[in-house]
Amino acid sequence: MNGLSKGIRKVEVALRWDPNPAGETPADLDVVAATYLADAPYGDPAYVVHFDSRSPDGTIYLNRDSQDGKGFGFDEVMTLELERLSERYARVVVGVVIQQRDERRTFVGVYHPGLRIREGHTDLATSDFGDVPGATAATVAEFVRDETGAWEFRAGVHGHDGDPAEFTATMGARRS
């Protein structure tokens, strides 16, 4: 990154999926973001933003929340205003969680899931979760502040198999 680059500034993470056929339990996917402090970038998250919350400073928020995939286009949308995030934070990890209700559900059991991560009109990443079909959750993006203070995007869909609470506690762990 050269000295003129401002890095990633404002990002939209969007999910879509088709509703389940009548008689089946609806699939409910949620976007989750966890922030990590500069002095503990791989420790416990400073805070987690999910379906019924927003960041304390208003920089990470859910624009749209769906519990069943019924809607046109993207069903769930989260905005991350990284340029406004305090310098105390060095990392933001974004994940997708499948709510586990009456039965265990993995990405292979969700009809036509899709992910788009975009800055402005530029797609940074897209996925259909085909690389993690047996996972119940996945990290989908990592944003890291570099030595100049600019945010960098690190793509990658990494599956997780466990309950949503466990995932949010461990989603930012260092990968081996």
Side-chain angles (χ1 to χ4, degrees):
M1 196 172 291
N2 67 38
L4 297 176
S5 177
K6 295 180 180 177
I8 303 295
R9 299 174 55 93
K10 185 176 181 179
V11 177
E12 176 187 89
V13 178
L15 284 175
R16 64 172 168 73
W17 67 98
D18 289 344
N20 286 10
E24 287 187 25
T25 304
D28 182 4
L29 281 66
D30 290 313
V31 180
V32 179
T35 59
Y36 298 86
L37 295 170
D39 61 355
Y42 293 94
D44 292 331
Y47 60 83
V48 176
V49 178
H50 49 76
F51 57 89
D52 65 354
S53 68
R54 64 184 295 144
S55 64
D57 59 5
T59 58
I60 302 173
Y61 50 91
L62 200 61
N63 305 38
R64 189 176 312 145
D65 180 27
S66 174
Q67 296 180 356
D68 55 16
K70 293 178 182 173
F72 297 106
F74 288 91
D75 302 300
E76 184 131 342
V77 179
M78 180 178 278
T79 299
L80 296 87
E81 296 183 28
L82 298 169
E83 80 275 12
R84 293 184 44 228
L85 197 60
S86 168
E87 292 181 10
R88 297 178 32 199
Y89 303 104
R91 287 178 70 223
V92 177
V93 177
V94 180
V96 174
V97 175
I98 304 170
Q99 291 296 324
Q100 303 297 312
R101 293 190 178 135
D102 300 334
E103 60 192 48
R104 183 176 184 279
R105 188 180 307 259
T106 63
F107 285 106
V108 76
V110 176
Y111 290 88
H112 306 108
L115 167 76
R116 180 187 69 202
I117 301 170
R118 135 184 304 192
E119 181 181 32
H121 297 290
T122 303
D123 287 354
L124 301 175
T126 60
S127 176
D128 64 1
F129 298 97
D131 292 340
V132 292
T136 59
T139 57
V140 297
E142 178 181 18
F143 299 94
V144 179
R145 198 183 296 264
D146 71 13
E147 62 279 350
T148 70
W151 288 94
E152 298 176 354
F153 170 64
R154 297 181 183 166
V157 176
H158 304 280
H160 176 82
D161 189 26
D163 67 48
E166 176 193 342
F167 174 68
T168 58
T170 62
M171 64 190 270
R174 190 180 306 270
R175 297 201 188 291
S176 49

